[in-house]
Amino acid sequence: MSMAIHGRRLPALAATFTARHRLLPALGQHTRLVRRWQSTVGTGNTGHIEAKPNESILFVDNLFPLKLSSLLLWRPWKAQHDVPEILRKFDKTSLGMFDPVSLVRRAIPDSLSIHITEVIPRTKEGGAYVKFTYPSDASAIEIQAKLSQALQQNPIKPWFSPFRGISTGLVLGRPWLEDLYRLPKSRLRVEFVSAKDSEQPDELSQESLYSVFRRYGWIADITSQPPDSKILPKYAYVDFVLVKDAIMARNCLHGFVLQEEGSKTATKLRLSYEQRVKPHNIWKWISSHPRIVIPILAAFLATFTVIVFDPIREFFVKHHVQRSLEFTDSKLYKWLKRQTSDILSLGKKHGNDAGLHALFNHRKDLIDSIKSSLLESVDTFVVIHGPRGSGGKELVMDQVLEGRKDVLVLDCKPIVEARGEAGTIRKLAFQVGYRPVFSWANNLSSLVDLAIQSTTGVKAGFSENLEAQVVKILQTTASALKEVSLAGRKKDDQDANLSDDAYLEAHPERRAVVVIDNFLHKSEEKGIIYDKVSDWAAALVQSNVAHVIFLTTDTSYSKPLSKSLPDRVFHQVTLGDLSPQVAKQFVVSQLEANARADEKAKENAKNNSGSPLKIDSQGRQDLQELDECIEALGGRLTDLQVLARRLKVGQSPKKAVSDIIEQSASEILRMFLLAGNKGAGEGADKERKWSVEQAWYLIKKIAENDSLRYNEVLLANTFASSTTPNATNPEAALEALANAELITVKSQHGRPATIRAGKPVYQAAFAKLLEDKVVKARMDLALLNELSKIEAKNIDKAEQELTVLAGLPNAPAQASERVNYLLGKLQASQRKIEGFDKEMGGLKKVLAEEA
């Protein structure tokens, strides 16, 4: 294998510090170095070191700390200047013996007849180039061999490397002095370039590379370029075990030209450091096994959530039930409220409190019954049913649970009316105090699930549906409620040896109370919420964790609750309207309390006592009028409160009741009679299970008669044969109208028996609507039109059957009776249609004449 040094002129790409040391030889004496620091970029500013005849270059390593340059990474362009500057400061002190130049001088023995002409430090590689001349009767290889042998016998160790001495290597190529930001690595990239421009270089085999590079240190691996690679020039990777060996090989062999045996062209080696890509075996295995990794990751995230967030959420739910973190329950707030009650409270609530007190006295038996059920260990629900405005929530919260601390109120109305699954989860979490809640994260998890499933075919399971999230929140709430119920238990109790379940069963008075308000509100929209709430409430009752009270206005509450507790009898409490006497007492008590509050405010403002109360004389004058008005208004609590507010502002009872009836009539007209003419949408019409004609039929009949028989209404053509697609089921239509509070269905012996107006005031409102000729004519016209369509359908059916009978051969005598029946039915329907048309003509005349 022939070796020669060749080179091409390259631009000046590097700048290094060069220390030129001239040797003043003296026969048999030590050489003396005269040092001069200056900048150089190689011979002739080419970036390379040129060697003259009888002149060679050595590379001496381990002269500078290799890691020192990496410590100056924050200004790498000055690293080549900083390191010699630091070392030069050492020379001015007592550490001059550790100067790199002195190490070079000590490394070269006196027996070598060489003359050092130049020393070029390479600080980022921890060494220096040493250019020297030698006699013509000696060779550079022999000199380097003697020098290496001398260093092995007498190693020279710098101060920063006490375990490894310096070593030397003969530069066989053409060194490139570059100051690029390329730190030494243990991997060398060997590129094969042509020694001459007219020749194609040969790609060296691994065997040849091994024979060239092995002399510089242990080689870990040699990697050739893939055969199908089109990257030029061709290359190979040589991985050394130690970085210092790669530094020595790179500085000695860069630009080295060699020719393999049997090859006709010479190849020049161009060396550079290469960052070795670490084999990411773990990540590679993870990315190649998504079917295994993704479920494990999902399980890990779920476990992490349970371990970290569930205790926090349970803590917040517990304190939400106990109200221990609310400022309104603190002693400071209660003290401030007592001190400022006379100043801030000017009678705004006294009227309501007095009226509710009269109401609660009337319902004292119901209150005592509910209180006693909370003291018994009965595994069932307490269901309080009544029309909207009957005062069920006030009765429970202000009377039954007055002074009780551990009460959780779950209002279903905002939960069901929330938009989207995220809004539903957020509202439910707010009701029970469940935090932190990341309702937005489920949408993001759904997108991740979709992306993973579309790419890998595996459903990751990161996202949870609405049902799973609701169950999770309710389960956490159940755990917190159990802790709340057991919070008062002490170790020195008589029954301290009982288990938690046995203790709660033995002490029903210690259990928390859960009040579920607005149960089955818009149940047709989100029935899954009510199903899960019912199951959760059943679990609380059966495990003796808490008492559960349901507040509902829906008459069909027994269906979902019976699914959750099929073998229990509910404690049902039905709230009806107040009797006229109690209703009058309620209104008068509010007026009296308001008058006393006004008088007290005047006394505080004017300091004038002895003014008579005006309510006495005014009440006596309006007493008989108030009796008549309450009889027309009815005993619904909300309507009585509206009446009391109108009387407080000075309206007479008759005027107030007239306005209330007028307002109720307008409400009925807008919600039930003109609902089909709204441009709002077909979506609402599709969800509605009743028709406008059915609503008008009930309004008209109830206005004429206070109550209707349930089965009689079912048999009416408007209900039994409705032409509206969504109102073909008569019982579903009546149930929907009852839930909308247009009517009230009264039961007898467990079955629906009679139908009345939804509110007492609606009875007068129905009569008010019948007095409007335009409304009555318009609605009667729509009702007669539907009845005409029903009779027309009957005629079509009869005609179709007569056509079939007429097609029978020889007109059998057995079919004559059926033919006569169909003809009679056809004639009766036709007469009805004629009557309907006559009535509709009169109604159209009314609509044309009336404004």
Side-chain angles (χ1 to χ4, degrees):
M1 190 179 294
S2 62
M3 295 179 289
I5 298 179
H6 301 274
R8 295 170 54 190
R9 291 277 179 176
L10 298 177
L13 299 176
T16 61
F17 283 98
T18 302
R20 297 182 183 274
H21 303 276
R22 303 194 180 279
L23 188 64
L24 301 179
L27 295 177
Q29 300 295 324
H30 291 286
T31 60
R32 184 164 57 94
L33 292 176
V34 179
R35 178 165 39 196
R36 181 164 54 90
W37 298 90
Q38 64 183 26
S39 177
T40 183
V41 290
T43 305
N45 292 334
T46 61
H48 295 86
I49 305 175
E50 302 292 345
K52 300 177 181 178
N54 292 336
E55 192 175 34
S56 292
I57 305 172
L58 290 172
F59 183 78
V60 184
D61 72 345
N62 208 23
L63 296 178
F64 302 101
L66 192 59
K67 300 295 183 180
L68 188 58
S69 295
S70 62
L71 297 177
L72 304 173
L73 290 178
W74 56 280
R75 48 179 199 166
W77 60 90
K78 289 188 177 182
Q80 294 281 43
H81 301 260
D82 292 336
V83 177
E85 184 66 22
I86 294 173
L87 296 177
R88 187 172 63 178
K89 291 180 180 180
F90 284 165
D91 187 54
K92 293 181 181 180
T93 64
S94 60
L95 297 176
M97 59 178 296
F98 300 117
D99 182 48
V101 178
S102 65
L103 293 176
V104 174
R105 182 175 55 188
R106 291 169 53 198
I108 300 175
D110 297 338
S111 59
L112 294 178
S113 56
I114 62 174
H115 296 270
I116 299 176
T117 60
E118 192 174 9
V119 175
I120 305 174
R122 297 291 294 167
T123 54
K124 71 176 181 179
E125 294 174 311
Y129 288 109
V130 178
K131 186 186 292 187
F132 66 93
T133 60
Y134 55 90
S136 58
D137 58 346
S139 66
I141 298 177
E142 294 176 355
I143 294 173
Q144 195 274 333
K146 292 179 181 179
L147 181 59
S148 298
Q149 184 178 3
L151 290 175
Q152 289 180 0
Q153 293 176 356
N154 299 309
I156 299 175
K157 299 177 181 179
W159 60 271
F160 55 84
S161 180
F163 301 105
R164 187 173 70 89
I166 64 176
S167 60
T168 61
L170 183 63
V171 176
L172 303 178
R174 189 185 182 199
W176 180 28
L177 301 180
E178 47 82 17
D179 60 351
L180 302 177
Y181 188 57
R182 297 175 181 176
L183 298 179
K185 307 294 180 184
S186 61
R187 165 172 281 197
L188 291 178
R189 179 186 173 98
V190 184
E191 296 181 353
F192 310 112
V193 297
S194 60
K196 298 180 180 179
D197 295 338
S198 59
E199 298 178 351
Q200 279 296 109
D202 289 337
E203 183 179 359
L204 300 182
S205 63
Q206 293 188 2
E207 183 179 356
S208 300
L209 291 174
Y210 181 83
S211 62
V212 173
F213 286 91
R214 177 61 182 84
R215 71 189 68 178
Y216 298 103
W218 291 97
I219 297 177
D221 192 15
I222 299 176
T223 306
S224 300
Q225 185 179 6
D228 56 347
S229 177
K230 298 181 180 179
I231 300 177
L232 294 177
K234 296 291 185 179
Y235 65 90
Y237 290 120
V238 178
D239 295 319
F240 284 91
V241 176
L242 300 177
V243 178
K244 72 178 187 65
D245 298 335
I247 294 173
M248 182 65 72
R250 193 260 180 188
N251 285 280
C252 293
L253 293 178
H254 181 79
F256 179 57
V257 178
L258 72 161
Q259 183 175 351
E260 285 188 301
E261 295 181 0
S263 177
K264 298 181 180 180
T265 58
T267 302
K268 184 168 66 173
L269 305 181
R270 188 162 63 195
L271 309 181
S272 61
Y273 298 113
E274 186 83 8
Q275 178 68 44
R276 183 182 299 180
V277 179
K278 297 181 179 180
H280 301 284
N281 295 327
I282 298 177
W283 173 251
K284 184 177 180 180
W285 185 89
I286 291 175
S287 59
S288 60
H289 296 81
R291 296 175 182 269
I292 301 175
V293 174
I294 292 176
I296 294 176
L297 182 61
F300 173 77
L301 291 176
T303 305
F304 177 80
T305 303
V306 171
I307 295 175
V308 176
F309 289 107
D310 279 10
I312 299 175
R313 291 163 174 165
E314 192 171 323
F315 168 82
F316 280 109
V317 173
K318 178 180 176 181
H319 287 275
H320 175 78
V321 176
Q322 295 176 332
R323 294 181 177 86
S324 56
L325 300 179
E326 292 187 7
F327 177 71
T328 55
D329 290 336
S330 63
K331 296 181 179 179
L332 176 62
Y333 176 82
K334 293 179 179 178
W335 179 83
L336 290 174
K337 187 177 180 180
R338 288 194 302 269
Q339 299 300 321
T340 58
S341 59
D342 294 337
I343 301 175
L344 299 179
S345 177
L346 299 178
K348 294 181 179 179
K349 294 185 178 180
H350 292 297
N352 292 334
D353 294 342
L356 291 175
H357 182 70
L359 172 64
F360 296 147
N361 288 334
H362 174 65
R363 294 175 173 175
K364 191 174 185 306
D365 295 339
L366 296 178
I367 296 172
D368 294 339
S369 174
I370 300 173
K371 284 185 176 180
S372 62
S373 66
L374 299 181
L375 299 176
E376 299 174 358
S377 183
V378 181
D379 303 339
T380 187
F381 301 138
V382 177
V383 182
I384 300 177
H385 170 257
R388 186 176 291 110
S390 57
K393 186 174 182 180
E394 292 80 2
L395 182 142
V396 172
M397 301 304 299
D398 298 339
Q399 293 296 313
V400 177
L401 301 178
E402 183 181 12
R404 191 151 185 163
K405 293 184 178 180
D406 303 334
V407 178
L408 174 63
V409 180
L410 178 61
D411 192 355
C412 298
K413 183 177 180 180
I415 299 173
V416 175
E417 292 180 350
R419 295 183 178 180
E421 293 187 359
T424 302
I425 294 302
R426 186 167 57 252
K427 291 295 183 180
L428 176 60
F430 176 77
Q431 290 291 324
V432 300
Y434 180 92
R435 61 178 68 91
V437 56
F438 310 108
S439 56
W440 53 267
N442 195 55
N443 296 332
L444 180 62
S445 301
S446 300
L447 296 177
V448 173
D449 262 353
L450 182 61
I452 293 175
Q453 188 174 6
S454 60
T455 54
T456 64
V458 179
K459 189 173 183 180
F462 289 121
S463 62
E464 296 178 333
N465 55 17
L466 177 63
E467 180 180 354
Q469 295 183 78
V470 170
V471 170
K472 184 177 180 181
I473 293 176
L474 295 179
Q475 286 179 349
T476 304
T477 306
S479 301
L481 287 172
K482 187 173 182 179
E483 290 188 7
V484 170
S485 299
L486 295 171
R489 189 178 185 184
K490 299 179 180 179
K491 295 182 179 180
D492 55 352
D493 290 341
Q494 295 180 355
D495 49 5
N497 58 339
L498 295 178
S499 63
D500 292 342
D501 296 337
Y503 177 82
L504 292 176
E505 185 176 3
H507 295 275
E509 72 282 357
R510 297 287 183 88
R511 303 176 197 171
V513 179
V514 178
V515 179
I516 301 176
D517 193 14
N518 289 314
F519 184 67
L520 296 183
H521 174 74
K522 294 184 178 181
S523 57
E524 66 278 358
E525 295 183 3
K526 294 182 180 178
I528 186 65
I529 299 295
Y530 294 113
D531 292 340
K532 295 305 173 185
V533 169
S534 301
D535 295 340
W536 171 68
L540 293 178
V541 170
Q542 291 176 335
S543 58
N544 298 316
V545 171
H547 300 286
V548 179
I549 300 175
F550 284 94
L551 299 175
T552 181
T553 60
D554 199 304
T555 56
S556 60
Y557 64 87
S558 60
K559 295 179 181 178
L561 295 182
S562 297
K563 293 180 181 178
S564 303
L565 281 179
D567 56 346
R568 296 291 191 278
V569 177
F570 307 139
H571 183 184
Q572 303 179 16
V573 176
T574 302
L575 300 179
D577 297 325
L578 301 179
S579 63
Q581 295 179 354
V582 178
K584 178 182 176 181
Q585 184 181 359
F586 175 81
V587 175
V588 171
S589 61
Q590 283 199 325
L591 295 176
E592 290 177 350
N594 186 71
R596 284 193 296 268
D598 292 342
E599 184 66 23
K600 185 176 181 180
K602 291 179 181 179
E603 290 178 0
N604 293 335
K606 299 180 180 180
N607 196 18
N608 183 18
S609 60
S611 299
L613 293 177
K614 296 181 180 181
I615 186 62
D616 296 335
S617 59
Q618 184 181 356
R620 290 172 184 173
Q621 294 174 1
D622 297 340
L623 190 60
Q624 186 176 359
E625 184 179 344
L626 186 61
D627 291 338
E628 297 175 359
C629 293
I630 288 179
E631 185 176 355
L633 186 63
R636 187 62 54 88
L637 182 61
T638 51
D639 296 333
L640 294 174
Q641 289 174 337
V642 173
L643 175 62
R645 284 195 295 267
R646 289 180 177 272
L647 295 179
K648 288 177 185 178
V649 297
Q651 279 189 342
S652 65
K654 284 188 176 181
K655 175 62 176 174
V657 171
S658 177
D659 290 346
I660 294 173
I661 294 174
E662 185 72 28
Q663 183 178 358
S664 299
S666 300
E667 180 183 345
I668 295 170
L669 184 64
R670 184 183 69 255
M671 294 180 59
F672 298 97
L673 301 183
L674 300 181
N677 297 330
K678 288 183 180 179
E682 302 177 350
D685 294 340
K686 290 181 180 179
E687 295 177 0
R688 195 172 55 211
K689 297 180 181 180
W690 49 269
S691 66
V692 175
E693 293 78 13
Q694 291 171 343
W696 176 249
Y697 175 86
L698 293 173
I699 291 172
K700 187 177 180 179
K701 293 297 182 182
I702 293 174
E704 298 172 355
N705 305 298
D706 291 345
S707 64
L708 302 176
R709 288 186 290 272
Y710 184 84
N711 292 325
E712 179 185 0
V713 175
L714 292 181
L715 295 175
N717 286 337
T718 307
F719 284 87
S721 304
S722 177
T723 58
T724 304
N726 295 332
T728 55
N729 188 344
E731 293 191 14
L734 289 175
E735 183 178 352
L737 289 170
N739 291 333
E741 296 188 352
L742 178 68
I743 60 173
T744 299
V745 179
K746 301 292 184 180
S747 299
Q748 183 178 2
H749 303 299
R751 61 173 178 82
T754 58
I755 298 176
R756 302 179 65 90
K759 294 182 180 180
V761 71
Y762 277 4
Q763 185 72 36
F766 291 168
K768 187 75 174 177
L769 290 173
L770 290 180
E771 294 175 0
D772 191 331
K773 295 182 180 180
V774 176
V775 173
K776 184 176 183 300
R778 181 177 176 179
M779 293 296 104
D780 284 344
L781 183 63
L783 182 59
L784 292 173
N785 190 20
E786 185 180 40
L787 293 176
S788 297
K789 291 180 181 179
I790 294 172
E791 297 301 330
K793 282 187 176 182
N794 294 334
I795 292 175
D796 290 340
K797 292 179 181 179
E799 289 177 347
Q800 291 176 5
E801 191 171 352
L802 287 173
T803 302
V804 174
L805 293 175
L808 295 176
N810 300 326
Q814 293 84 353
S816 59
E817 293 184 2
R818 182 63 178 175
V819 171
N820 293 331
Y821 169 77
L822 293 175
L823 289 175
K825 189 175 182 180
L826 190 149
Q827 184 180 10
S829 297
Q830 179 61 30
R831 289 177 181 175
K832 290 181 181 180
I833 291 176
E834 292 175 358
F836 295 153
D837 289 342
K838 186 177 180 180
E839 292 183 30
M840 285 191 288
L843 295 174
K844 290 178 181 178
K845 185 178 180 181
V846 173
L847 291 175
E849 294 177 354
E850 296 290 339

